[in-house]
Structures are given as C-alpha cells and as structure tokens.
Amino acid sequence: MSTDKPTAARVYLSRVRTALADLPANEIEELLEDVRPQLAEMESEAGAAARVEDLVARLGTPESYAAELRASGGYPSAPAASEAATGVLPATAKPGRVGPRLALWGLVFCAVGTAMIAFYTAVRFNAEALAGMILLAPVFAVSVAFLLLRGLEAMRELPEVVRARAMVKSMREDRSADRALTYLNSLKPAWWVVCGFALLAFGLLLMIRDLHAVLLLPVLLVGAGLVMWAGPRIKADGRMLWIAVPVSAFVVGSAFGGLGAAVHLVRDRTYSSSSTPAYASSMYQDSHGNESLRYGQHELTNLYAFDANGKPLENVYLYDDRGRPLTITRYGCEKDTGTSQMTGQDNQFPRPKVVEGVQDDHGNVNGYNGYRGYCREDAGVPFAAVIPKAPATSGTPVPPSSPPKSAPPTR
C-alpha cells in the first residue's frame, strides 16, 4: 500500500485505527498488519479512481470492520463514547450575535443619550428639553425585546463582553485596583438611594421654572422607586441593568448639568452685580439659541416706546448701558403653512404682532371647523398708553413778602 498520498485505503485504515483507539498501541498494530495487504489489493483492483465507498461496499464501514477485528481477536467491544466520537454529529445552527449585540449596544446608546439629554435639560433649566427622550424610546424598546427573547447568556458570549470581563479579572489581580473596585461596590446601596432622591429633587427644581413640570413628578417618582428596587437585585438578575443603568445615567447627566448651570449662574450674577443688567443674562435663550429679553419671569418678544405726549415711536433701535444692541429673534408668518417662523434677529422695535390660529374653508378664523393654519401680522400699537404727567412748576419766583411797617410811636 502506497503511503505517498491519502488514498482510499489509507483513509479507510485510519478510520479503523480510530475505532480501535481504546486498545493498546502494539495490539492495534498487530491487527492492522493483516489489514493493510488486503486493503492494498482491493485498491489496486479498483484502479486509480478507487474511493472509500468502494472499500465500504466490499468490507462494510471501517467501524464495523474494526468490530469484526475485535471479535476475531477476542477483544472487548468498543465503548459507547468511542462510537459516539466516531459518529457524525448533527449540524446545529449557531446562534447569531446580531440580537444580543443590539440589546447590549442599545442599552449603551440609551444610557449615553439619557445622560446628554439630562445634562442639556439641567443647563437650560427647561423641562421641555426632556422631550428628546422620545427619540430614545424605540431603541430602548428594541433592546428590551432582544433581552427578553435571547436572555443574558447570549450577551455574555459576545467578544466585547468577554474582553471586558477579562479586563475586570486582570484588575482584580492587581491589589490596588481590587481595593478600588471593592470600595466602589460598597457604595452601590447608597447610590440607588441617591438616585431616587436626585430624581425627585430634579423634578422639584424644574417646577420652580415652570409649573407644568409638575406633570413629570409621577414619572420621576416611578423612576425613583424602580431604581431603588432594581439596583440591589442586579447581582442576582442582570436584567435589572436595563432599569438601573439608564436611571443612573440620567442622574449623572443632570448632576453635571446642574453643576454647570450653578457655575454659570454664579458667574453671571457676579458679573451683573457690577454692570450687567438682568435682562442681558445669557442664561436665558429662546428656542433658536438667541438671547431673550425678560421682565420678571416673562419673556418679551416685543417692545413699544412712546414720547412724552403719548405718541408711539416707530423704528426704534434699543441698546443697553454698554452700547450693546438688545438683539432678539424676529418672527413672521409663513404663507404656505400659515404658521409663524423665525425671519431674523435685530434690535429694532416695535415689531408687527404675529397672531396665529386656524381657519376653515370660508375664511372663519378660530371657528369650530377650522383646520388650516392661520397667521397674520398686525402692525401698530395694540393698546393705548397713558404717559404720566410731570408735576407743574412755575418759572417766576415769588418775591418774599415785606414785613408790615410799624406804627409811629405816640406820646
């Protein structure tokens, strides 16, 4: 039998050897010494195109042939494990990594997005900025769906998770890093409580700016309760990360945003105490990022000026005490949509008053059947101003009265 290439005889003989693998090596060689000439003869009869199937057709499978050799030599039967090892395993579908990866990175994406939105909300001190959470909701829903379908085990097998766990393990081997991790773990119970109270404090602070933020309090209360319930259960159930991580990210983002707003406020007040008027505070901006004018708690979109006789002034340009123009956003009507939109920014006053509403097909404005956008610009002054009069003063000084003459003395 030639040994230069893996012929059919060599392949067949190899499988026979594998089936006899549990026997001593010298006894296997003794059994195969008698088999080799037989296989070589059969292969030569089949010619150059001999195949393993040709040998199987004449001798049976290598495993059955090995069983006959065992029986003829008085050897015990092959163990069951050996037969299973030589058998062909059924093909199993390898689970994909798309779902687990979407669940894992969806959680990371939502955590980062939540932190950024909370930071922006705290800096702007405006509850309306939380509307950005709507954009994260679909991603979070997909992440939770894959979590429930595939579970955590599939995520633990992801290469990035394996590397992260190996990194933590190597840190554990470092004594100083292990002490730091142990210390951080000891802070977890307190952290969940801090998260709960931080959410409530965040909602109350937003109410100072806008009373409508009271509508957020139920949501924040639920979030506070969930994080205090889910946080201590993470070790036993990793799915709790999908509650604790976004809430923690929200608290961290709002804390940094609140810190930035506080520093900004202190700096602005320090600056305004010297020369800057309150209405010039750059903390107040409109939706276009331009500074806004405020009178008390109300944002001003227009100003009207009158002379001493009560006559309205037109095309007035306003500046502050340092010569800076009081530039704010100018709005106008967009004809196609019937809504107001930004047309520019300047410090010219007064401006036409922009009136928005809806109208029906007959041109009735704000009626019951109105459905199309309506917008118009009203020029002029929408009210009459009463200018206080200065107290009347006389330009001619009153001479002092002369004392009465005394009567001449009498005798």
Side-chain angles (χ1 to χ4, degrees):
M1 184 176 62
S2 174
T3 57
D4 296 337
K5 58 182 180 179
T7 61
R10 290 190 60 191
V11 173
Y12 191 96
L13 190 64
S14 175
R15 290 178 59 179
V16 173
R17 184 193 299 275
T18 302
L20 299 173
D22 60 304
L23 299 180
N26 58 338
E27 296 179 3
I28 294 176
E29 290 301 322
E30 290 179 3
L31 291 173
L32 296 183
E33 284 295 330
D34 297 331
V35 177
R36 287 192 182 95
Q38 184 181 4
L39 292 175
E41 183 179 357
M42 291 181 182
E43 189 178 44
S44 65
E45 292 175 0
R51 301 177 304 169
V52 176
E53 288 77 7
D54 298 331
L55 300 178
V56 171
R58 298 181 62 177
L59 299 176
T61 63
E63 290 75 22
S64 62
Y65 190 76
E68 292 178 2
L69 292 176
R70 286 173 181 272
S72 61
Y75 294 104
S77 302
S82 175
E83 295 177 357
T86 57
V88 179
L89 295 176
T92 57
K94 188 177 181 179
R97 293 175 175 173
V98 176
R101 194 156 275 157
L102 283 175
L104 174 65
W105 290 104
L107 174 63
V108 175
F109 175 80
C110 291
V112 174
T114 299
M116 294 178 64
I117 291 175
F119 177 84
Y120 183 74
T121 302
V123 170
R124 294 288 304 273
F125 205 37
N126 188 351
E128 295 179 357
L130 291 176
M133 291 287 189
I134 298 176
L135 300 178
L136 301 178
V139 180
F140 188 72
V142 170
S143 176
V144 172
F146 277 105
L147 170 68
L148 298 178
L149 290 175
R150 301 294 300 275
L152 285 173
E153 291 302 324
M155 273 178 272
R156 290 194 178 106
E157 297 175 356
L158 291 174
E160 52 267 38
V161 176
V162 173
R163 286 194 295 270
R165 296 174 67 181
M167 185 180 302
V168 173
K169 184 179 179 181
S170 64
M171 292 177 64
R172 288 286 188 185
E173 295 173 354
D174 185 352
R175 183 171 297 178
S176 57
D178 183 58
R179 283 200 297 267
L181 291 176
T182 303
Y183 176 72
L184 291 177
N185 284 330
S186 67
L187 298 179
K188 282 183 179 179
W191 171 250
W192 307 128
V193 178
V194 169
C195 286
F197 283 101
L199 288 178
L200 296 180
F202 186 75
L204 294 175
L205 288 176
L206 289 179
M207 286 178 57
I208 297 176
R209 170 70 182 276
D210 187 358
L211 287 178
H212 291 90
V214 69
L215 300 176
L216 291 174
L217 283 182
V219 179
L220 296 176
L221 276 172
V222 172
L226 282 176
V227 73
M228 287 192 288
W229 172 78
R233 290 170 171 79
I234 288 178
K235 190 173 182 179
D237 189 351
R239 294 177 298 178
M240 297 299 150
L241 287 171
W242 269 252
I243 297 175
V245 170
V247 175
S248 298
F250 185 92
V251 172
V252 172
S254 61
F256 278 100
L259 179 63
V263 172
H264 198 170
L265 181 62
V266 171
R267 187 190 65 178
D268 185 75
R269 292 208 171 189
T270 303
Y271 182 67
S272 63
S273 63
S274 59
S275 60
T276 305
Y279 56 71
S281 171
S282 59
M283 178 179 177
Y284 300 109
Q285 296 177 336
D286 59 17
S287 58
H288 300 285
N290 299 321
E291 291 186 349
S292 61
L293 291 176
R294 289 185 172 274
Y295 185 79
Q297 296 294 324
H298 302 284
E299 181 178 345
L300 304 180
T301 58
N302 209 348
L303 292 173
Y304 300 92
F306 297 84
D307 63 9
N309 297 320
K311 179 182 178 181
L313 303 179
E314 298 180 352
N315 299 326
V316 175
Y317 292 84
L318 299 181
Y319 297 83
D320 68 2
D321 58 348
R322 294 192 298 170
R324 298 182 303 177
L326 302 183
T327 302
I328 61 174
T329 304
R330 178 182 287 272
Y331 294 92
C333 290
E334 208 282 321
K335 295 181 179 179
D336 295 334
T337 61
T339 59
S340 64
Q341 65 175 6
M342 174 182 174
T343 59
Q345 50 182 334
D346 54 51
N347 64 327
Q348 183 181 3
F349 300 94
R351 302 169 173 183
K353 182 180 180 181
V354 178
V355 179
E356 290 186 272
V358 293
Q359 64 178 353
D360 56 20
D361 294 334
H362 302 287
N364 298 318
V365 178
N366 293 333
Y368 180 78
N369 296 321
Y371 66 94
R372 289 184 300 166
Y374 173 81
C375 182
R376 74 170 188 270
E377 299 179 12
D378 292 342
V381 181
F383 57 87
V386 178
I387 307 300
K389 298 296 184 183
T393 57
S394 175
T396 305
V398 178
S401 58
S402 57
K405 295 182 179 179
S406 59
T410 58
R411 293 183 178 180

PDB file of all heavy atoms in Angstrom, residues 246-267:
ATOM      1  N   PRO A 246     -29.932  53.228  32.763  1.00  0.00           N
ATOM      2  CA  PRO A 246     -30.463  54.499  32.246  1.00  0.00           C
ATOM      3  C   PRO A 246     -30.765  55.517  33.350  1.00  0.00           C
ATOM      4  O   PRO A 246     -30.503  56.705  33.182  1.00  0.00           O
ATOM      5  CB  PRO A 246     -31.734  54.081  31.504  1.00  0.00           C
ATOM      6  CG  PRO A 246     -31.524  52.647  31.170  1.00  0.00           C
ATOM      7  CD  PRO A 246     -30.747  52.091  32.306  1.00  0.00           C
ATOM      8  N   VAL A 247     -31.299  55.041  34.481  1.00  0.00           N
ATOM      9  CA  VAL A 247     -31.605  55.977  35.565  1.00  0.00           C
ATOM     10  C   VAL A 247     -30.320  56.585  36.127  1.00  0.00           C
ATOM     11  O   VAL A 247     -30.237  57.782  36.407  1.00  0.00           O
ATOM     12  CB  VAL A 247     -32.423  55.272  36.662  1.00  0.00           C
ATOM     13  CG1 VAL A 247     -32.628  56.204  37.839  1.00  0.00           C
ATOM     14  CG2 VAL A 247     -33.771  54.827  36.113  1.00  0.00           C
ATOM     15  N   SER A 248     -29.304  55.735  36.308  1.00  0.00           N
ATOM     16  CA  SER A 248     -28.026  56.251  36.813  1.00  0.00           C
ATOM     17  C   SER A 248     -27.433  57.265  35.835  1.00  0.00           C
ATOM     18  O   SER A 248     -26.889  58.289  36.256  1.00  0.00           O
ATOM     19  CB  SER A 248     -27.057  55.091  37.034  1.00  0.00           C
ATOM     20  OG  SER A 248     -27.547  54.201  38.005  1.00  0.00           O
ATOM     21  N   ALA A 249     -27.531  56.962  34.540  1.00  0.00           N
ATOM     22  CA  ALA A 249     -27.010  57.898  33.542  1.00  0.00           C
ATOM     23  C   ALA A 249     -27.766  59.223  33.601  1.00  0.00           C
ATOM     24  O   ALA A 249     -27.169  60.303  33.462  1.00  0.00           O
ATOM     25  CB  ALA A 249     -27.124  57.288  32.151  1.00  0.00           C
ATOM     26  N   PHE A 250     -29.066  59.160  33.819  1.00  0.00           N
ATOM     27  CA  PHE A 250     -29.864  60.387  33.919  1.00  0.00           C
ATOM     28  C   PHE A 250     -29.411  61.213  35.127  1.00  0.00           C
ATOM     29  O   PHE A 250     -29.262  62.431  35.034  1.00  0.00           O
ATOM     30  CB  PHE A 250     -31.340  60.018  34.051  1.00  0.00           C
ATOM     31  CG  PHE A 250     -32.269  61.193  34.032  1.00  0.00           C
ATOM     32  CD1 PHE A 250     -32.824  61.632  32.840  1.00  0.00           C
ATOM     33  CD2 PHE A 250     -32.578  61.876  35.195  1.00  0.00           C
ATOM     34  CE1 PHE A 250     -33.673  62.713  32.806  1.00  0.00           C
ATOM     35  CE2 PHE A 250     -33.413  62.970  35.181  1.00  0.00           C
ATOM     36  CZ  PHE A 250     -33.966  63.389  33.985  1.00  0.00           C
ATOM     37  N   VAL A 251     -29.194  60.545  36.244  1.00  0.00           N
ATOM     38  CA  VAL A 251     -28.771  61.263  37.462  1.00  0.00           C
ATOM     39  C   VAL A 251     -27.394  61.888  37.265  1.00  0.00           C
ATOM     40  O   VAL A 251     -27.163  63.051  37.631  1.00  0.00           O
ATOM     41  CB  VAL A 251     -28.790  60.309  38.658  1.00  0.00           C
ATOM     42  CG1 VAL A 251     -28.174  60.970  39.882  1.00  0.00           C
ATOM     43  CG2 VAL A 251     -30.213  59.872  38.967  1.00  0.00           C
ATOM     44  N   VAL A 252     -26.480  61.133  36.670  1.00  0.00           N
ATOM     45  CA  VAL A 252     -25.128  61.664  36.458  1.00  0.00           C
ATOM     46  C   VAL A 252     -25.168  62.862  35.490  1.00  0.00           C
ATOM     47  O   VAL A 252     -24.546  63.904  35.737  1.00  0.00           O
ATOM     48  CB  VAL A 252     -24.200  60.559  35.914  1.00  0.00           C
ATOM     49  CG1 VAL A 252     -22.860  61.141  35.501  1.00  0.00           C
ATOM     50  CG2 VAL A 252     -24.003  59.479  36.968  1.00  0.00           C
ATOM     51  N   GLY A 253     -25.916  62.718  34.388  1.00  0.00           N
ATOM     52  CA  GLY A 253     -26.009  63.812  33.426  1.00  0.00           C
ATOM     53  C   GLY A 253     -26.635  65.058  34.029  1.00  0.00           C
ATOM     54  O   GLY A 253     -26.153  66.180  33.827  1.00  0.00           O
ATOM     55  N   SER A 254     -27.720  64.890  34.784  1.00  0.00           N
ATOM     56  CA  SER A 254     -28.372  66.049  35.399  1.00  0.00           C
ATOM     57  C   SER A 254     -27.486  66.678  36.470  1.00  0.00           C
ATOM     58  O   SER A 254     -27.499  67.902  36.653  1.00  0.00           O
ATOM     59  CB  SER A 254     -29.712  65.632  35.999  1.00  0.00           C
ATOM     60  OG  SER A 254     -29.519  64.644  37.002  1.00  0.00           O
ATOM     61  N   ALA A 255     -26.698  65.853  37.174  1.00  0.00           N
ATOM     62  CA  ALA A 255     -25.806  66.411  38.194  1.00  0.00           C
ATOM     63  C   ALA A 255     -24.731  67.293  37.561  1.00  0.00           C
ATOM     64  O   ALA A 255     -24.474  68.409  38.024  1.00  0.00           O
ATOM     65  CB  ALA A 255     -25.153  65.272  38.992  1.00  0.00           C
ATOM     66  N   PHE A 256     -24.127  66.799  36.490  1.00  0.00           N
ATOM     67  CA  PHE A 256     -23.116  67.613  35.817  1.00  0.00           C
ATOM     68  C   PHE A 256     -23.749  68.855  35.186  1.00  0.00           C
ATOM     69  O   PHE A 256     -23.167  69.939  35.199  1.00  0.00           O
ATOM     70  CB  PHE A 256     -22.393  66.784  34.756  1.00  0.00           C
ATOM     71  CG  PHE A 256     -21.304  65.930  35.310  1.00  0.00           C
ATOM     72  CD1 PHE A 256     -21.509  64.583  35.554  1.00  0.00           C
ATOM     73  CD2 PHE A 256     -20.057  66.469  35.608  1.00  0.00           C
ATOM     74  CE1 PHE A 256     -20.507  63.785  36.083  1.00  0.00           C
ATOM     75  CE2 PHE A 256     -19.046  65.690  36.135  1.00  0.00           C
ATOM     76  CZ  PHE A 256     -19.267  64.339  36.378  1.00  0.00           C
ATOM     77  N   GLY A 257     -24.945  68.690  34.616  1.00  0.00           N
ATOM     78  CA  GLY A 257     -25.626  69.843  34.046  1.00  0.00           C
ATOM     79  C   GLY A 257     -25.997  70.868  35.096  1.00  0.00           C
ATOM     80  O   GLY A 257     -25.851  72.075  34.891  1.00  0.00           O
ATOM     81  N   GLY A 258     -26.487  70.387  36.254  1.00  0.00           N
ATOM     82  CA  GLY A 258     -26.812  71.306  37.330  1.00  0.00           C
ATOM     83  C   GLY A 258     -25.592  72.016  37.865  1.00  0.00           C
ATOM     84  O   GLY A 258     -25.641  73.209  38.196  1.00  0.00           O
ATOM     85  N   LEU A 259     -24.474  71.296  37.928  1.00  0.00           N
ATOM     86  CA  LEU A 259     -23.236  71.929  38.377  1.00  0.00           C
ATOM     87  C   LEU A 259     -22.794  73.016  37.398  1.00  0.00           C
ATOM     88  O   LEU A 259     -22.404  74.118  37.809  1.00  0.00           O
ATOM     89  CB  LEU A 259     -22.140  70.869  38.521  1.00  0.00           C
ATOM     90  CG  LEU A 259     -20.771  71.369  38.968  1.00  0.00           C
ATOM     91  CD1 LEU A 259     -20.856  71.976  40.357  1.00  0.00           C
ATOM     92  CD2 LEU A 259     -19.757  70.220  38.961  1.00  0.00           C
ATOM     93  N   GLY A 260     -22.904  72.702  36.113  1.00  0.00           N
ATOM     94  CA  GLY A 260     -22.535  73.706  35.111  1.00  0.00           C
ATOM     95  C   GLY A 260     -23.445  74.917  35.160  1.00  0.00           C
ATOM     96  O   GLY A 260     -22.986  76.062  35.043  1.00  0.00           O
ATOM     97  N   ALA A 261     -24.755  74.683  35.345  1.00  0.00           N
ATOM     98  CA  ALA A 261     -25.698  75.807  35.428  1.00  0.00           C
ATOM     99  C   ALA A 261     -25.431  76.650  36.671  1.00  0.00           C
ATOM    100  O   ALA A 261     -25.538  77.888  36.631  1.00  0.00           O
ATOM    101  CB  ALA A 261     -27.124  75.271  35.445  1.00  0.00           C
ATOM    102  N   ALA A 262     -25.083  75.982  37.780  1.00  0.00           N
ATOM    103  CA  ALA A 262     -24.802  76.736  39.004  1.00  0.00           C
ATOM    104  C   ALA A 262     -23.566  77.612  38.835  1.00  0.00           C
ATOM    105  O   ALA A 262     -23.566  78.793  39.232  1.00  0.00           O
ATOM    106  CB  ALA A 262     -24.614  75.769  40.170  1.00  0.00           C
ATOM    107  N   VAL A 263     -22.526  77.055  38.233  1.00  0.00           N
ATOM    108  CA  VAL A 263     -21.322  77.845  37.998  1.00  0.00           C
ATOM    109  C   VAL A 263     -21.622  79.013  37.059  1.00  0.00           C
ATOM    110  O   VAL A 263     -21.177  80.147  37.273  1.00  0.00           O
ATOM    111  CB  VAL A 263     -20.221  76.942  37.413  1.00  0.00           C
ATOM    112  CG1 VAL A 263     -19.025  77.769  36.974  1.00  0.00           C
ATOM    113  CG2 VAL A 263     -19.801  75.899  38.434  1.00  0.00           C
ATOM    114  N   HIS A 264     -22.426  78.735  36.048  1.00  0.00           N
ATOM    115  CA  HIS A 264     -22.793  79.790  35.108  1.00  0.00           C
ATOM    116  C   HIS A 264     -23.598  80.888  35.802  1.00  0.00           C
ATOM    117  O   HIS A 264     -23.403  82.082  35.576  1.00  0.00           O
ATOM    118  CB  HIS A 264     -23.594  79.184  33.960  1.00  0.00           C
ATOM    119  CG  HIS A 264     -23.662  80.064  32.759  1.00  0.00           C
ATOM    120  ND1 HIS A 264     -24.143  79.654  31.549  1.00  0.00           N
ATOM    121  CD2 HIS A 264     -23.299  81.346  32.595  1.00  0.00           C
ATOM    122  CE1 HIS A 264     -24.072  80.637  30.687  1.00  0.00           C
ATOM    123  NE2 HIS A 264     -23.573  81.671  31.300  1.00  0.00           N
ATOM    124  N   LEU A 265     -24.518  80.456  36.680  1.00  0.00           N
ATOM    125  CA  LEU A 265     -25.357  81.433  37.368  1.00  0.00           C
ATOM    126  C   LEU A 265     -24.533  82.299  38.306  1.00  0.00           C
ATOM    127  O   LEU A 265     -24.717  83.518  38.363  1.00  0.00           O
ATOM    128  CB  LEU A 265     -26.448  80.694  38.137  1.00  0.00           C
ATOM    129  CG  LEU A 265     -27.440  81.566  38.894  1.00  0.00           C
ATOM    130  CD1 LEU A 265     -28.192  82.449  37.919  1.00  0.00           C
ATOM    131  CD2 LEU A 265     -28.413  80.712  39.686  1.00  0.00           C
ATOM    132  N   VAL A 266     -23.621  81.654  39.054  1.00  0.00           N
ATOM    133  CA  VAL A 266     -22.779  82.421  39.973  1.00  0.00           C
ATOM    134  C   VAL A 266     -21.910  83.408  39.197  1.00  0.00           C
ATOM    135  O   VAL A 266     -21.784  84.582  39.565  1.00  0.00           O
ATOM    136  CB  VAL A 266     -21.915  81.467  40.815  1.00  0.00           C
ATOM    137  CG1 VAL A 266     -20.875  82.239  41.605  1.00  0.00           C
ATOM    138  CG2 VAL A 266     -22.790  80.642  41.737  1.00  0.00           C
ATOM    139  N   ARG A 267     -21.340  82.943  38.116  1.00  0.00           N
ATOM    140  CA  ARG A 267     -20.500  83.829  37.315  1.00  0.00           C
ATOM    141  C   ARG A 267     -21.313  84.967  36.735  1.00  0.00           C
ATOM    142  O   ARG A 267     -20.884  86.120  36.729  1.00  0.00           O
ATOM    143  CB  ARG A 267     -19.843  83.031  36.184  1.00  0.00           C
ATOM    144  CG  ARG A 267     -18.822  83.810  35.400  1.00  0.00           C
ATOM    145  CD  ARG A 267     -18.405  83.064  34.170  1.00  0.00           C
ATOM    146  NE  ARG A 267     -19.520  82.923  33.242  1.00  0.00           N
ATOM    147  CZ  ARG A 267     -19.429  82.346  32.051  1.00  0.00           C
ATOM    148  NH1 ARG A 267     -18.287  81.814  31.669  1.00  0.00           N
ATOM    149  NH2 ARG A 267     -20.474  82.269  31.263  1.00  0.00           N
TER     150      ARG A 267
END
